[in-house]
């Protein structure tokens, strides 16, 4: 078995955030606990936006959970049943205020609160809250300042690689549903990366802004998707009878568009279809031709 050794920037930043959280906890607040480090690990997200979202959910979820735990314990005492009741109450409250995304953090806070070696749950709860704040803020600070996430160059390389594969192998791809599915998974990852880029557009150190390069990258992601949709459409209708001439004209039309896709030169205007089907196959014709036009229109947008 071949082992792959790779250290990504997010891995490095997570280590820095853990070290920072522990340093503040130990040397500033004199609290020797790994709670802040755990919070930092959770808050180190692939985008700045998601890190900030974790800050809110983690801090307020923890505070809400601890408040429920302390209230139940003060009223009914500390035992397995009351702890379970406190978790139920916190989950219900999160649901009532429409913040179910904080539920997990609230429940964790209640359960971990009772790790206190003494009965001073209030002090222990406050310490946990402080460490949580230190941890998540350390992660956000590191994620925002140290190598802030930029996916443009990486995404562009991936798009070029996938698009080249589609261009070179499109005739064999339409005969193999498994390979088409593999390419679809690749493009879904590209679209996810594009969403992550868009999430961070409002953060100055990270955003590329709605620049021409950013818009063009989005168009390229949309364009590769249009091409794949066209090939998937042809594949789903590959069993329909076509004459040799029809297959040839369809291939010529696609190759014609691919040449413009490859060179990013869009100077053609062709309103009529270059291929046709028998009347009884009009439904399949409309589907394939529709995706072909969709692909062409996306190319035209990038003139």
């Amino acid at each position: 078995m071949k082992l792959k050794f790779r250290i990504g920037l997010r891995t490095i930043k997570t280590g820095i955030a853990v070290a920072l959280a522990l340093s503040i906890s130990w040397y500033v607040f004199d609290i020797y606990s790994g709670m802040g480090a755990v919070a930092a690990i959770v808050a180190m997200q692939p985008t700045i936006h998601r890190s900030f979202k974790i800050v809110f959910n983690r801090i307020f979820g923890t505070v809400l959970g601890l408040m429920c735990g302390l209230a139940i314990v003060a009223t009914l005492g500390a035992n397995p049943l009351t702890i379970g009741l406190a978790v139920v109450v916190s989950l219900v409250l999160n649901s009532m205020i429409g913040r179910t995304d904080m539920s997990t953090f609230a429940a964790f806070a209640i359960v971990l609160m009772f790790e206190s070696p003494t009965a001073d749950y209030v002090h222990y709860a406050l310490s946990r809250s402080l460490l949580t704040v230190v941890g998540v803020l350390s992660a956000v600070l590191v994620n925002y300042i140290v190598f802030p996430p930029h996916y443009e160059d990486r995404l562009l390389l991936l798009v070029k690689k996938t698009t080249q594969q589609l261009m070179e192998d499109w005739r064999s791809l339409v005969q193999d549903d498994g390979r088409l599915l593999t390419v679809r998974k690749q493009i879904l990852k590209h679209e996810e990366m594009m969403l992550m880029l868009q999430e961070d557009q409002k953060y100055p150190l990270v955003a590329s802004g709605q620049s021409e390069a950013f818009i063009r990258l989005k168009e390229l992601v949309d364009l590769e998707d249009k091409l794949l949709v066209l090939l998937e459409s042809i594949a789903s209708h590959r069993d329909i009878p076509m004459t040799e001439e029809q297959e040839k004209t369809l291939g010529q039309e696609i190759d014609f568009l691919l040449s413009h896709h490859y060179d990013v030169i869009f100077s053609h205007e062709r309103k009529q279809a270059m291929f046709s089907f028998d009347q009884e196959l009009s439904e399949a014709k409309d589907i394939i031709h529709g995706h072909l036009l969709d692909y062409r229109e996306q190319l035209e947008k990038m003139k």
Side-chain angles (χ1 to χ4, degrees):
M1 182 178 65
K2 185 177 180 181
L3 298 177
K4 294 183 178 180
F5 180 77
R6 179 176 177 271
I7 300 178
L9 289 178
R10 187 178 168 192
T11 301
I12 296 173
K13 291 194 292 184
T14 300
I16 296 174
V18 167
L20 179 61
L22 289 175
S23 297
I24 296 174
S25 300
W26 294 358
Y27 302 122
V28 177
F29 298 108
D30 198 28
I31 302 175
Y32 293 87
S33 171
M35 184 67 181
V38 172
I41 293 171
V42 174
M44 184 58 68
Q45 297 292 310
T47 67
I48 300 298
H49 175 76
R50 296 181 191 182
S51 286
F52 276 119
K53 188 176 180 180
I54 286 289
V55 168
F56 179 86
N57 291 341
R58 182 84 195 206
I59 292 177
F60 288 96
T62 298
V63 171
L64 179 61
L66 292 175
M67 288 174 60
C68 289
L70 290 173
I72 296 293
V73 168
T75 305
L76 303 176
N79 59 67
L81 290 179
T82 56
I83 295 173
L85 177 61
V87 170
V88 171
V89 171
S90 70
L91 296 180
V92 171
L93 285 176
N94 277 287
S95 180
M96 289 176 61
I97 64 176
R99 296 310 304 249
T100 55
D101 47 351
M102 300 191 316
S103 299
T104 301
F105 300 123
F108 281 168
I110 293 171
V111 174
L112 294 176
M113 181 180 72
F114 294 99
E115 289 185 338
S116 173
T118 69
D120 188 3
Y121 298 118
V122 174
H123 179 267
Y124 198 65
L126 292 175
S127 299
R128 290 281 183 177
S129 300
L130 177 62
L131 293 177
T132 296
V133 172
V134 168
V136 294
L137 292 183
S138 296
V140 171
L141 182 65
V142 171
N143 202 19
Y144 193 60
I145 296 178
V146 181
F147 306 119
H150 291 285
Y151 297 100
E152 291 92 336
D153 294 339
R154 179 185 171 194
L155 179 55
L156 181 59
L157 289 175
L158 291 173
V159 169
K160 287 182 177 179
K161 182 179 179 180
T162 300
T163 302
Q164 185 174 2
Q165 178 187 357
L166 289 170
M167 291 177 174
E168 294 176 351
D169 301 336
W170 77 264
R171 285 179 171 82
S172 60
L173 283 170
V174 297
Q175 301 298 326
D176 191 332
D177 293 335
R179 291 179 63 196
L180 277 177
L181 181 59
T182 299
V183 178
R184 168 55 65 192
K185 291 178 180 178
Q186 294 173 6
I187 293 180
L188 287 174
K189 291 180 180 178
H190 301 170
E191 292 172 346
E192 183 181 358
M193 290 179 68
M194 197 70 227
L195 287 175
M196 290 194 293
L197 274 172
Q198 291 175 321
E199 285 179 0
D200 282 351
Q201 287 304 296
K202 58 185 177 182
Y203 301 106
L205 293 182
V206 185
S208 57
Q210 289 297 326
S211 63
E212 183 177 345
F214 178 81
I215 295 173
R216 178 53 61 92
L217 180 57
K218 186 178 187 306
E219 290 175 336
L220 287 175
V221 174
D222 291 339
L223 189 58
E224 68 169 350
D225 178 68
K226 301 297 184 187
L227 174 55
L228 180 59
V229 168
L230 170 62
L231 300 185
E232 289 171 335
S233 179
I234 295 173
S236 65
H237 299 93
R238 60 173 174 259
D239 293 331
I240 64 174
M242 293 179 62
T243 65
E244 183 177 341
E245 184 63 25
Q246 288 172 335
E247 290 181 357
K248 180 179 178 181
T249 53
L250 175 59
Q252 287 175 338
E253 169 76 347
I254 295 174
D255 287 337
F256 178 76
L257 293 175
L258 290 179
S259 67
H260 289 277
H261 191 163
Y262 185 82
D263 297 322
V264 199
I265 299 174
F266 316 105
S267 60
H268 63 292
E269 284 189 10
R270 188 173 302 146
K271 301 184 184 302
Q272 74 279 7
M274 291 184 66
F275 60 97
S276 60
F277 295 96
D278 295 334
Q279 183 64 34
E280 60 270 20
L281 301 173
S282 60
E283 183 178 352
K285 175 204 70 173
D286 291 341
I287 293 174
I288 294 176
H289 186 56
H291 288 127
L292 188 64
L293 291 176
D294 202 19
Y295 175 45
R296 180 189 295 161
E297 288 174 2
Q298 185 65 35
L299 281 167
E300 290 290 350
K301 290 179 182 178
M302 300 178 66
K303 280 186 177 180

